[in-house]
Amino acid sequence: PREGVGMRINLVKRHDGTFIPAYNSDAEKCAKMKPATYAMSWKRDRNPRHHALVFGMARCTLENMSGPWNSAYMRDRNGTPYEFLKAIMIEIGQVDISMKLDGTPRPMVKSLAFEQMSEDEFQPISDAISEKCAEVLGVEVDEFRKNYQEYL
């Protein structure tokens, strides 16, 4: 991409208030920039561990519940947590409404992909997922949050 158009550079804010490139690849991009004034927009990057925790919540719930979701999980431990999270996202209202060809509305689950939201946007969704998982299992949220991490 041309300089300034579609370029992404990850920065770390230091305690003295200055910003430095987060990775070598970011430092290389900065080295190519000409002296000028640049505009910056920011968002807190997603925490990969937090993303993994959400999938741990799904696995914990699937393994400890009964019914069709548990049966599906026992058959496919890899794909089912993702499908279960999509069902939870519908339950907690994390959907966009799209129209089918016949004009009827169809909910489309919002993406949990790193590129789609910041950590600040992801946190309340993660909280709602943990509350729904606790509800499905019939336990208190605090109890659920203490125990699901062994499913990472």
Side-chain angles (χ1 to χ4, degrees), residues 34-54:
K34 296 178 177 138
T37 301
Y38 292 90
M40 180 176 97
S41 61
W42 71 92
K43 67 178 184 176
R44 196 164 56 122
D45 268 351
R46 292 279 296 275
N47 177 345
R49 177 152 168 76
H50 192 180
H51 196 257
L53 288 174
V54 168

Side-chain angles (χ1 to χ4, degrees), residues 89-105:
M89 295 285 283
I90 291 170
E91 291 289 320
I92 65 173
Q94 288 298 310
V95 296
D96 290 321
I97 303 299
S98 169
M99 196 179 321
K100 295 196 292 189
L101 287 176
D102 66 3
T104 59

Side-chain angles (χ1 to χ4, degrees), residues 15-31:
H15 291 290
D16 67 2
T18 60
F19 292 90
I20 60 169
Y23 305 103
N24 288 340
S25 58
D26 297 316
E28 291 167 6
K29 291 175 190 172
C30 287

Side-chain angles (χ1 to χ4, degrees), residues 87-142:
I88 287 180
M89 295 285 283
I90 291 170
E91 291 289 320
I92 65 173
Q94 288 298 310
V95 296
D96 290 321
I97 303 299
S98 169
M99 196 179 321
K100 295 196 292 189
L101 287 176
D102 66 3
T104 59
R106 176 178 180 241
M108 302 282 295
V109 176
K110 291 183 180 181
S111 175
L112 288 176
F114 270 39
E115 305 79 37
Q116 298 299 316
M117 66 181 76
S118 71
E119 184 67 16
D120 293 329
E121 294 167 309
F122 184 61
Q123 183 65 54
I125 294 169
S126 170
D127 291 344
I129 290 170
S130 67
E131 290 166 10
K132 184 55 77 175
C133 286
E135 179 185 318
V136 165
L137 292 175
V139 298
E140 295 294 323
V141 176
D142 290 339

